[in-house]
Every structure is written in structure tokens, then in C-alpha cells.
Amino acid sequence: MRSSLAPGVWFLRAFSRDSWYRGFILLITFLIYTCYHMSRKPISVVKSRLHRNCSGMIQPINDTHSLNDTTWCNWAPFDQSNYKELLGAVDNAFLVAYAVGMFISGIFGERLPLRYYLTAGMLLSGLFTSLLGLGYFWNIHALWYFVLIQICNGLVQTTGWPSVVTCVGNWFGKGKRGLIMGIWNSHTSVGNILGSLIAGIWVDEQWGLSFVVPGVITAIMGLITFFFFIEYPEDVGCSPPQHHGGLEENVDDAEDPGSGPHSNRENGLESAVTSSKEPSAQPAAISFFGALWIPGVVEFSLCLLFAKLVSYTFLYWLPLYIFNVVHFSAKESGDLSTLFDVGGIVGGILAGLISDYTNGRATTCCVMLILAAPMMFLYNYVGQSGISISIVMLLICGALVNGPYALITTAVSADLGTHKSLKGNAKALSTVTAIIDGTGSIGAALGPLLAGLISPTGWNNVFYMLITADILACLLLCRLVYKEILAWKASLSRDRGSSVALTHAR
């Protein structure tokens, strides 16, 4: 019986049990979103296979093309001169559908059981990803088929991000959220790496398998989600997390001397006690416009629009850029492009760690964005002069570009979704996450589209576009950076006041 145990022994047992469950939630949500991103990546690797230079290749004897045809090895309809625009249209079919669907997905995510919602989304995502690859085996050459499948896939993939962030937010408080979510968010880069490596195995032969295999893996993960996913700590008798006492509270305290750390702590404890005593009482879901009024949501959403524009342009066009500029094979280009995602893993962890230590999410993002602009410029001009330089530059660019993107979509979204103005109503998490990532997804759609339109004029112009977007993302955070500086000054003043008081007391 619990009453017969010493308080310390009971605490250790409860802590151990809670820790095991929290570790399991991190693992399963990590694997879930790794699969989502793994299923998105193959299209960027297969692009270089759909249209390539056939002049140096031996034409099969039974081929129906003429001997002077230099496009015989390409996959119609991408064998035309405007193939970049057509590939851009396929990319944007997914990305526009994803951006539009994301705003709706968060609303559904707050009102439906996440286990069923994620399971359905993963099964359908696996199906549509596989259908892209089946176009190879079914010998489909109609552009509308690829566009339609991408639209459907974009819509069902919106089930993923709001759901996993909401689940992690339900299980983890603000204490080390930046570091925890920085490590956890490496699923994005891990998924991209796996997607590139898996697609690269079959891209030069039967490129349809580059889609079918990730699709099957995603569907299998959907079944695992159905049997093992746990939405709330209370569902398995674990204690709920502490949702207050972080960035926004400190910033607001700097501007409002009447609200101190004690009042924040009391409000957080009150909400935690209330939720633990009344697990069955579910607060009402927040409205779309109500979520927009949460301080910081608009600024971070618009910043993510431009940050994600840069990140997704690299995601979808980097292998083709390497293929065209360095003249590597399709597989080598895909493999080399994974270094950008390896850098993204490090950047996401560093961004979370630094923002936890400094208590400045916006400032961390702004500094990394400032450094990213000159690094992208250097990569375009000197990054291809040697394999060693290319590797180093890709790692650095990946860290600086994906660091702010990772921080905003994880720790910042969770912080804002549990903001103190919501008075303990964590039901806003899914809607806030959907607004931030949905706005970012508009940039994700614009980036590859603009790259497809601009790249025929030269890759230099593509990088100028990316640098401009990076600078705009930085400028949009200026107000929040200023607020964080004020909070730091107020904190230093309080520390100095305390030191002086202690000196006089002695």
C-alpha cells in the first residue's frame, strides 16, 4: 500500500514511472514524425532521375525513340524543356495543400482523439506516398496524376505536426523544454536523411520503390501508433507537467512590475492542481482568432513563413542544385544533401539549449538567422570548389537555417500554446501550433515555387532570394528581441538590488 511506504521511496517510484512514460512518449512521437518527413523527401531525390541528360547514355535496342532524341531516358511529362516548372508544380501541389490544411487540422486535432487522428493520417499518408511510386510501375505519364496525389498527401500529412506537438506539450512542462524539444525535433532531419538514403537505393533503377518503401514504413508506424500512443499523462496515472514559469512570463514581468514570479508560480501550481484533481474536466477549445491574440503568435508565425521558405527550398532543390552544379550522380547528390539535415540536427539542439540558458527564444532565432545569410552567400560562391569545403559549408548552413525553424515549431509553439493568458487551458496547443506551422507552410510552398521559377535565370538568383527571406525573418522578431532585452535588464536590476540588500544586511 502507498501509505506504508516512506515518502522518499514513493516519490522515487512515482518519478521513475513518470520518467519511463515520458521517455516512451518522446520516442514514439519522434518515430511518428520521422516517418512523416521520410515520406516527403524522396521526391527531391527522384527529381534528378525524372529529367537528365541522355546524350551520354546508351539507348536500349527496343526503345521507340529516335536516335537523335536527347530526352529518351526522361520520364514524361518531365521530359520537356519546362521540366523545372512542372517539378515545381508537383512540389507546390503538396505544399499548398499542406499550408491550407494545416489551419484546419489544428481545429480537428483539439476536438478528436489524437490516437485515432494520427493513425488515420499515417495510414493515408503511407497510401498516397506509395501511389506516387506506383505511377512508375503502372507507367503513368499524366501530370494531373502526380499533382492530385501530392494534394491528397499534403492534406493528410497535416494530421502529424499539431498532434505530436500537442502530445509532447501535454507531457512536458517548460523547465528544459527548449533542450528537450531541440533534441526531439531532430526527427525532421532524421526523416529527411532516411528518406534520401532510402530513395537513393532505387533512384537509378526502379525509382518507384523510392516512394513505395517509405510509404509502407509510414503505414506500419500508423498501426503502431494506434496500439501504443498515449495522449495525456492522466490516462496512465502519471502526474501532469508544470506549464508556466518560462519566456513569456518573464518578458511580461519586465513590462508589468505588478506581476511577480510568485504570482506566476501560484497560477501555475493552481492550474496543475486543478488538472490533477479534475482529470475529467476538459476546458473548451480556443478559437482561431482567440489564438492569434496570444502575445508573440503573429510575430513568430510570420518569421517562420520566411524561415521555412529557406529551409524547404533546400529540402526540395538542394539535390538538384548539387546534381547540376557539381555534376554528381542522382544518388551521390541525394547522399551529399543529407549533410544539410545533419547540420540541422545540431542546430536544433543548440538553439534549444541556448534559448533555455538565456531564456530568450526570439534572440536565439534572430542571431542564428543573422549568421545564416552570409553563410548561404559563401556556400553558393565557394562551397562547390572542393568536397571538403562543401561538406563543412552544408553542415554550417544546415545548423543556422534549421535551428530557428526547429525552435519556433517546437519549444516556441508549446510555450505560446500554454501561455499564462490562457489560464491553464492547454487545449490551445493544437490550434497555436497549427497557426504557426500553417503560416510557415505558406513560405514552404512559396520557396520551392520561386526556386523553380528563378533557377532558369541562374542559381545565384535563387540564393539571393533565400538570403532576402532570411533577413526578413530576422526583422520580424525585432519587437520580441527588444522585449527580451528589457526582461534581461530587469532581471539584472533585481539581482543587483538583492546583492546590495544582502551587503547592507551584513
Side-chain angles (χ1 to χ4, degrees), residues 300-309 405 408-409 436-437 440:
F300 276 115
S301 297
L302 293 175
C303 172
L304 186 62
L305 186 151
F306 292 104
K308 211 167 178 179
L309 182 153
Y405 161 41
I408 293 172
T409 54
I436 292 176
D437 200 50

Side-chain angles (χ1 to χ4, degrees), residues 122-165:
M122 296 196 76
L123 290 174
L124 289 172
S125 180
L127 171 65
F128 290 123
T129 302
S130 298
L131 285 174
L132 274 177
L134 290 174
Y136 169 84
F137 298 102
W138 294 341
N139 203 29
I140 295 176
H141 296 276
L143 180 64
W144 66 264
Y145 174 84
F146 297 100
V147 170
L148 180 61
I149 296 300
Q150 284 285 74
I151 290 174
C152 295
N153 202 11
L155 290 174
V156 298
Q157 287 235 350
T158 61
T159 57
W161 190 241
S163 300
V164 294
V165 172

Side-chain angles (χ1 to χ4, degrees), residues 46-54 63-66 69-87 90 140-143 146 207:
V46 175
K47 274 180 185 177
S48 56
R49 176 63 179 81
L50 298 177
H51 187 101
R52 52 183 176 171
N53 186 359
C54 309
D63 194 86
T64 57
H65 294 81
S66 66
D69 188 356
T70 59
T71 64
W72 64 266
C73 65
N74 297 329
W75 190 269
F78 307 105
D79 56 345
Q80 304 173 33
S81 59
N82 64 337
Y83 72 98
K84 289 184 179 179
E85 288 82 354
L86 297 179
L87 290 171
V90 173
I140 295 176
H141 296 276
L143 180 64
F146 297 100
W207 59 258

Side-chain angles (χ1 to χ4, degrees), residues 460-477:
N460 288 346
N461 295 328
V462 174
F463 276 87
Y464 294 149
M465 179 267 291
L466 296 178
I467 293 169
T468 302
D470 183 85
I471 294 172
L472 290 173
C474 183
L475 292 175
L476 286 163
L477 294 180

Side-chain angles (χ1 to χ4, degrees), residues 308-324:
K308 211 167 178 179
L309 182 153
V310 178
S311 180
Y312 266 65
T313 302
F314 275 99
L315 173 68
Y316 280 91
W317 287 93
L318 182 58
L320 187 62
Y321 170 77
I322 296 172
F323 180 81
N324 287 339

Side-chain angles (χ1 to χ4, degrees), residues 255-278:
E255 296 185 340
D256 184 8
S259 61
H262 296 292
S263 61
N264 289 336
R265 192 180 298 113
E266 290 167 3
N267 290 338
L269 288 172
E270 181 181 352
S271 64
V273 170
T274 301
S275 60
S276 62
K277 288 182 178 179
E278 303 175 13

